[in-house]
Amino acid sequence: MPKHEIIRCERCQTAFECKANSFSKCQCSIVQLTINEVQYVSELYDGCLCANCLLIIQQEYWESMGLV
């Protein structure tokens, strides 16, 4: 039985173990977002996202800003 809550990514619906109480150990902590990127994500979604979706949204942000 998992120690933390199993939730679904708001974007892709993939199930993952949320470790909000141990953020540095959570799967989403591998994605380093700037303040502007965090704001962009929060304008699109209210809940938790998996690391893969965070990477995709980060890339979308870069493209929208002409950074890639």
Side-chain angles (χ1 to χ4, degrees):
M1 182 168 181
K3 183 178 178 181
H4 301 279
E5 180 181 9
I6 301 296
I7 63 172
R8 294 205 172 271
C9 173
E10 188 176 326
R11 182 176 178 271
C12 72
Q13 299 305 307
T14 298
F16 63 92
E17 189 175 10
C18 179
K19 297 180 181 176
N21 293 339
S22 300
F23 176 74
S24 64
K25 296 177 184 173
C26 192
Q27 55 85 39
C28 67
S29 69
I30 66 167
V31 182
Q32 301 298 309
L33 300 174
T34 66
I35 296 293
N36 291 337
E37 292 166 347
V38 170
Q39 183 176 351
Y40 179 76
V41 171
S42 68
E43 289 172 0
L44 299 172
Y45 299 97
D46 293 322
C48 289
L49 301 170
C50 67
N52 187 54
C53 283
L54 285 174
L55 288 169
I56 291 168
I57 295 168
Q58 184 181 50
Q59 181 69 29
E60 289 173 2
Y61 174 78
W62 293 345
E63 290 171 2
S64 74
M65 299 302 290
L67 301 173
V68 287

